[in-house]
Amino acid sequence: MLASLFIRKERNILGVLEKFSRVALCHQPTPLERMPRLSKSLNRPNLWIKRDDCTGLATGGNKTRKLEFLMAAALDAGADMIVTQGAIQSNHVRQTAAASCKLGLECHALLERRVPDRDENYETTGNVFLDNLFGTSIEYRPAGLDMNEEAIKVAEKFKQAGRKPYFIPGGGSNEIGALGYVACAEELIQQMDEQGLNPKWIVFGTGSTGTQAGLVAGFHALGCNVPIMGISVRKPQQVQIDNVFALAQKTAALICDKPLTDKGKILVDDNYVGPGYGIPTNATIEACELIARQEGILLDLVYAGKGLAGLIGLIKQGKLGDDGDVVFIHTGGSVSLFAYEDQFKSI
């Protein structure tokens, strides 16, 4: 089914990836499953879900793929600790903290109070509870700062004190972290081919850019032309497109000789952000309830929930067509549901 879309290069991606250091953190391949009941309820046949909530590390999530490369780079650098950052209910920080424990490193995280008007429990439950369980040392910051720059400053202080910190940006989103989704691109293409899918769209929530950039770079290197639609969870459309494209270009340059020049490959829909990052809309909540009750799958309200709300919206608008297969990538994060229990009025 993918013959016209997937042209395997003389040098396959996994062979290229072997030149990069990597540690085993991820359960892979993650399942690619049909969603028959959700498909029926939305009157859109052939909806599938790529279960990257099943990557295994600390309840799973998409950041684990990135951390396989990032943590290896930290070990190569002789690090004795990781410094990173994220929002209060950061899935990335939770998985980075767990990976640090697994590899015998300390983890220090800066958490941004990015989401307004949350109660006290928001900073103690969900991901934050697990951060503490993993022994993470935490600093808090107000909203609106350049959090990567803040974390770099903290890492420098640790360095001056005699430590060997390794800085990982928010979301693990640099060209090293994006290699995790280059690997996922080949994994997904192989699964779609083996299961006989006729893929028309790949859809998921896009935030810190690394997942979308890695997939775009991987599909580019492998000659796969299935469109990849990112549902923005924070940034305006053009800002997100620019950010994803810049990282996809850097990532592609690491894995293939053909430059990525077509900005048109970066597809972003920002109609489901709502009031802001981490603030669910009614459509987000309805999407989470729908997939839970139709497929028994848990999504978070920050990333995957907005991603599925976008997928549902695009289906209802007729923008995804009514034939062929659509794959939704579940990026994980359901542990943060405990920080949003008050949002589910119908339960």
Side-chain angles (χ1 to χ4, degrees):
M1 301 296 290
L2 288 171
S4 63
L5 300 169
F6 175 31
I7 305 170
R8 186 174 291 277
K9 304 300 183 182
E10 293 180 3
R11 179 180 63 174
N12 71 32
I13 282 184
L14 287 182
V16 173
L17 291 180
E18 287 174 358
K19 72 180 183 179
F20 298 98
S21 296
R22 188 175 185 179
V23 293
L25 299 172
C26 183
H27 296 177
Q28 52 192 316
T30 58
L32 177 62
E33 302 172 343
R34 190 185 294 272
M35 296 191 288
R37 285 174 47 79
L38 185 64
S39 297
K40 184 177 180 180
S41 71
L42 295 173
N43 196 30
R44 176 53 171 89
N46 302 326
L47 296 180
W48 295 74
I49 186 166
K50 175 68 169 163
R51 297 294 303 273
D52 269 16
D53 59 318
C54 298
T55 54
L57 183 69
T59 78
N62 62 329
K63 311 305 182 186
T64 300
R65 291 187 185 272
K66 304 175 186 182
L67 288 165
E68 288 202 322
F69 294 91
L70 290 163
M71 297 302 285
L75 294 175
D76 286 347
D80 62 6
M81 68 180 302
I82 301 296
V83 176
T84 194
Q85 62 89 5
I88 294 291
Q89 285 293 330
S90 170
N91 299 317
H92 161 69
V93 170
R94 180 244 308 160
Q95 289 164 83
T96 302
S100 298
C101 290
K102 189 175 180 69
L103 297 173
L105 303 175
E106 293 183 24
C107 183
H108 185 83
L110 279 67
L111 298 183
E112 179 186 7
R113 292 187 166 107
R114 189 181 301 169
V115 182
D117 302 323
R118 303 304 302 173
D119 61 29
E120 292 180 2
N121 290 336
Y122 193 74
E123 295 191 6
T124 60
T125 190
N127 281 311
V128 183
F129 170 76
L130 295 183
D131 295 342
N132 286 312
L133 185 61
F134 292 130
T136 311
S137 55
I138 295 173
E139 296 181 32
Y140 292 91
R141 293 290 188 275
L145 299 177
D146 183 332
M147 287 296 290
N148 279 335
E149 185 61 32
E150 289 291 307
I152 290 171
K153 291 177 182 176
V154 169
E156 184 59 32
K157 290 180 181 178
F158 277 115
K159 185 176 180 180
Q160 291 175 1
R163 301 299 301 274
K164 297 179 179 178
Y166 185 86
F167 165 68
I168 293 179
S173 292
N174 59 18
E175 57 268 41
I176 298 300
L179 293 174
Y181 272 85
V182 170
C184 182
E186 185 163 58
E187 177 182 304
L188 178 57
I189 289 170
Q190 182 176 352
Q191 287 178 313
M192 293 190 297
D193 197 26
E194 290 173 348
Q195 297 189 50
L197 271 65
N198 179 22
K200 297 296 185 179
W201 289 92
I202 311 294
V203 182
F204 54 94
T206 181
S208 62
T209 75
T211 299
Q212 188 169 8
L215 286 171
V216 169
F219 276 30
H220 167 75
L222 287 166
C224 179
N225 296 313
V226 179
I228 299 169
M229 172 62 75
I231 307 298
S232 180
V233 303
R234 186 183 186 191
K235 299 290 187 182
Q237 181 185 53
Q238 194 56 55
V239 173
Q240 189 71 4
I241 287 173
D242 291 344
N243 291 343
V244 172
F245 184 59
L247 182 53
Q249 284 187 306
K250 292 178 182 178
T251 307
L254 293 179
I255 61 170
C256 68
D257 297 329
K258 181 182 177 182
L260 175 60
T261 59
D262 184 3
K263 202 172 190 177
K265 289 186 176 182
I266 313 300
L267 305 175
V268 172
D269 188 334
D270 65 356
N271 288 306
Y272 303 89
V273 174
Y277 175 90
I279 306 174
T281 65
N282 289 336
T284 311
I285 296 166
E286 290 167 4
C288 288
E289 291 182 343
L290 182 63
I291 195 171
R293 294 172 183 181
Q294 295 297 323
E295 299 291 347
I297 294 172
L298 299 175
L299 306 183
D300 72 304
L301 293 177
V302 181
Y303 294 96
K306 285 188 176 179
L308 184 63
L311 172 62
I312 292 170
L314 292 170
I315 290 172
K316 290 180 176 179
Q317 295 164 38
K319 293 184 178 180
L320 299 185
D322 56 8
D323 66 329
D325 299 289
V326 175
V327 177
F328 176 72
I329 299 179
H330 186 345
T331 51
S334 61
V335 70
S336 69
L337 284 171
F338 296 104
Y340 286 92
E341 288 184 59
D342 61 325
Q343 303 289 146
F344 293 89
K345 304 298 184 183
S346 65
I347 296 178

